[in-house]
């Protein structure tokens, strides 16, 4: 087999590994993302729990970078302290290293099991949570399969005369090997994928143990660079935690490299085989960084703040920002163009409503007068845009319209009205619950809060579907949105039943927050119904919606 064919097979296997890792991460985020975020915020106030939470979330998302970005956003919003954020990231790095260890075991039997079970779950049901769990299983199966493919693709390299030359070169130039590993990790955007590639190649005898340790240190450098680069244009408060991780993990890898090359300690204690030695070196490095980070967390955070401050340019006097409107009066004589303009403006309303829907659940956990005022201001913006869009569309109807244009005009007006109603529910109902909870110092039970977060996550996902339907007018998406409405009704019954069960058991927190809990579920269900109805015009146009949704008795 020619060298180019071998490299092609190896590249395909690596591509499959990256895709599988992304598949698992996406499935977890879509199915459990909001719940995991809320749980993380609730536990990160305790330093030990911050480490454990970061570790657990990294295992779930298979990405320490994702946890770093998430924790950075929390720190930037003032939700968690700098020290807790640093410790959560340290835990995330250990979690990422443990995932690598788990995947080095012989899991070949899981490939067909995960692929079959995941495919069945994904294709046999329309329930979002089951479909996403199926996606996760498929991703795990493909990830294990990709590791086998890397091993098979690299097998012909055993007979290569060039491979020993390359290995000898990097063994004699550890600094270049260190930087090359960092570059590969940055390109992969995944330390898990990078280490797994090295472990697989080491299992074929291509990487000696000493070089493997150097490569692991390079992987940790590359991984620590990813988050700072991704947040380079973010707010200063968001960038502090990623910069702190770069200081601890990136600088730590450099210090370890210098120590390793200076003293040349034996690596036999890390394991009996080279793959084990590489994995254990990866875990040991991150454990040492965690132990060093415990006493240094405050110092590193302050240093990170100063570095971010140095890189933040002082802005000149800000100009008044005028929000542009898509409602161009000169386009009224061309209905198709005017309707496109109105669609653009309605999409902006969708974006504002989505922000309101995301922020309201955050206020249930952490609210103050300024945040409440800011959310109310968003509703004022929705009201103004709603009035402007209705007036604009009324002017459009003064011109002769085709049947399709007339239907689209009515669809946009209906969507705009529903969005305005959603904003009113959030501000006039749910914001009242927030104030009541804040004033009385009430707390939900862990079970009740988890149910609310899960219910809210479903409504938020359906909102995004509704906004997509408004733009794409895709019948399949519209159908899925209406099906989700029925599933949410079933989930509401389950949530209410669980709540009443806690009331029956006399749980104090359940009694105190009962009305807020039930009213919030009711408000979210009403919001979901309004958003789902935005799919009706698309389904009706294609004959997929009857005159009545009631079944004959």
């Amino acid at each position: 087999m020619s060298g180019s064919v071998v490299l092609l097979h190896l590249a395909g296997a690596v591509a499959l590994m990256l895709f599988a890792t992304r598949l698992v991460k996406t499935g977890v985020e879509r199915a459990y993302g909001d719940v995991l975020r809320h749980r993380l915020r609730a536990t990160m106030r305790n330093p030990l729990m911050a480490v454990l939470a970061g570790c657990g979330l990294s295992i779930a998302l298979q990405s320490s970078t994702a946890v770093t970005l998430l924790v950075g956003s929390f720190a930037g919003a003032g939700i968690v302290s700098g020290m807790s954020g640093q410790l959560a990231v340290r835990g995330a790095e250990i979690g990422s290293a443990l995932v690598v260890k788990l995947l080095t075991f012989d899991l070949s039997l899981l490939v067909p099991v995960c692929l079959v079970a995941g495919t069945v779950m994904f294709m046999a049901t329309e329930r979002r949570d089951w479909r996403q769990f199926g996606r996760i299983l498929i991703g795990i199966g493909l990830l294990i399969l990709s590791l086998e493919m890397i091993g098979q693709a690299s097998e012909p390299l055993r007979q290569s005369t060039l491979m020993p030359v390359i290995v000898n070169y990097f063994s004699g130039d550890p600094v270049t090997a260190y930087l090359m590993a960092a570059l590969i990790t940055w390109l992969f955007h995944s330390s898990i994928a990078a280490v797994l590639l090295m472990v697989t190649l080491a299992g074929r005898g291509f990487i000696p143990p000493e070089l493997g340790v150097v490569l692991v240190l390079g992987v940790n450098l590359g991984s620590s660079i990813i988050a700072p680069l991704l947040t380079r244009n973010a707010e200063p408060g968001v960038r502090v935690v990623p910069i702190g991780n770069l200081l601890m993990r990136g600088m730590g890898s450099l210090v370890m490299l210098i120590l390793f090359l200076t003293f040349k300690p034996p690596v036999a204690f890390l394991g009996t085989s080279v793959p084990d030695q590489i994995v254990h070196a990866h875990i040991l490095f991150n454990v040492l960084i965690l132990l060093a980070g415990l006493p240094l967390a405050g110092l590193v955070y302050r240093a990170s703040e100063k570095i971010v401050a140095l890189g933040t340019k002082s802005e000149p006097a800000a100009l008044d920002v005028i929000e542009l409107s898509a409602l161009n009066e000169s386009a009224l004589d061309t209905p198709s163009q005017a309707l496109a303009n109105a669609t653009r403006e309605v999409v902006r309303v969708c974006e504002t409503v989505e922000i309101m829907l995301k922020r309201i659940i955050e206020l249930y956990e952490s609210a103050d007068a300024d945040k409440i005022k800011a959310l109310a201001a968003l509703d004022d913006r929705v009201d103004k845009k709603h009035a402007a869009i209705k007036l604009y569309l009324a002017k459009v109807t003064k011109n002769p319209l085709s049947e399709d244009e007339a239907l689209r005009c009515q669809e946009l007006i209906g969507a705009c009205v529903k969005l305005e109603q959603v904003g009113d529910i959030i501000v006039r109902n749910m914001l009242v619950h927030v104030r009541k909870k804040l004033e009385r110092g009430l707390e939900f039970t862990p079970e009740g809060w988890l149910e609310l977060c899960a219910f809210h996550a479903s409504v938020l996902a359906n909102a995004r579907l509704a906004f997509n339907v408004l733009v794409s007018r895709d019948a399949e998406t519209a159908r899925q949105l209406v099906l989700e409405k029925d599933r949410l009704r079933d989930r509401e019954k389950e949530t209410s039943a669980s709540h009443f069960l806690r009331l029956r058991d006399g749980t104090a927190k359940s009694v105190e927050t009962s009305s807020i809990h039930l009213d919030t579920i009711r408000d979210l269900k009403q919001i979901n119904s309004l958003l789902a109805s935005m799919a009706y015009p698309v389904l009706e146009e294609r004959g997929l919606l009857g005159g009545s949704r009631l079944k004959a008795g």
Side-chain angles (χ1 to χ4, degrees), residues 75-350:
I79 296 172
V80 300
S81 67
M83 181 173 293
S84 294
Q86 296 280 359
L87 294 177
V89 173
R90 299 278 69 75
E93 307 296 357
I94 293 178
S96 175
L98 292 177
V99 170
V100 175
K101 177 62 179 178
L102 178 64
L103 292 174
T104 57
F105 293 115
D106 183 9
L107 304 173
S108 56
L109 186 60
L110 288 180
V111 173
V113 174
C114 289
L115 292 178
V116 171
T119 302
V120 170
M121 293 175 69
F122 189 83
M123 300 185 66
T125 178
E126 293 293 333
R127 289 188 56 179
R128 178 183 289 108
D129 50 352
W130 282 98
R131 285 172 65 87
Q132 296 308 324
F133 190 67
R135 183 191 299 270
I136 294 169
L137 289 179
I138 293 172
I140 293 173
L142 292 177
L143 181 58
I144 300 170
L145 178 62
S146 70
L147 297 177
E148 296 179 8
M149 290 176 60
I150 291 174
Q152 295 171 1
S154 60
E155 187 65 27
L157 295 176
R158 286 177 180 270
Q159 285 75 42
S160 171
T161 57
L162 182 62
M163 197 67 188
V165 176
I166 296 175
V167 172
N168 289 334
Y169 172 77
F170 282 120
S171 297
D173 188 357
V175 174
T176 301
Y178 171 76
L179 296 176
M180 181 62 69
L183 178 61
I184 291 173
T185 306
W186 178 77
L187 291 173
F188 285 3
H189 269 44
S190 170
S191 61
I192 293 176
V195 176
L196 285 175
L197 175 61
M198 294 169 189
V199 167
T200 306
L201 294 177
R204 292 297 188 274
F206 299 128
I207 299 177
E210 291 77 12
L211 178 59
V213 173
V214 171
L215 293 176
V216 162
L217 295 174
V219 166
N220 283 278
L221 172 64
S223 181
S224 67
I225 294 173
I226 298 171
L229 288 178
L230 292 176
T231 58
R232 62 187 182 277
N233 295 321
E235 294 294 326
V238 176
R239 294 161 53 202
V240 171
V241 169
I243 291 295
N245 184 47
L246 177 60
L247 290 177
M248 281 298 300
R249 195 180 182 199
M251 294 299 293
S253 71
L254 183 58
V255 171
M256 290 288 185
L257 177 67
I258 294 172
L259 293 175
F260 182 75
L261 296 179
T262 301
F263 296 101
K264 294 182 172 53
V267 296
F269 74 96
L270 291 173
T272 56
S273 65
V274 179
D276 285 343
Q277 290 168 354
I278 291 176
V279 173
H280 295 160
H282 186 44
I283 296 174
L284 177 61
F285 171 80
N286 284 287
V287 170
L288 292 176
I289 293 297
L290 170 63
L291 296 177
L294 290 173
L296 295 176
L299 177 63
V300 171
Y301 191 77
R302 289 191 295 273
S304 305
E305 287 182 314
K306 291 181 179 179
I307 292 174
V308 170
L310 290 175
T312 303
K313 298 179 181 179
S314 57
E315 297 291 339
L319 299 175
D320 291 335
V321 178
I322 301 175
E323 187 174 4
L324 298 178
S325 172
L327 305 178
N328 188 353
E329 296 282 337
S330 63
L332 289 173
D333 293 334
T334 310
S336 60
Q337 186 63 45
L339 290 174
N341 291 340
T343 301
R344 286 172 54 196
E345 201 69 8
V346 174
V347 168
R348 291 179 178 176
V349 177
C350 291

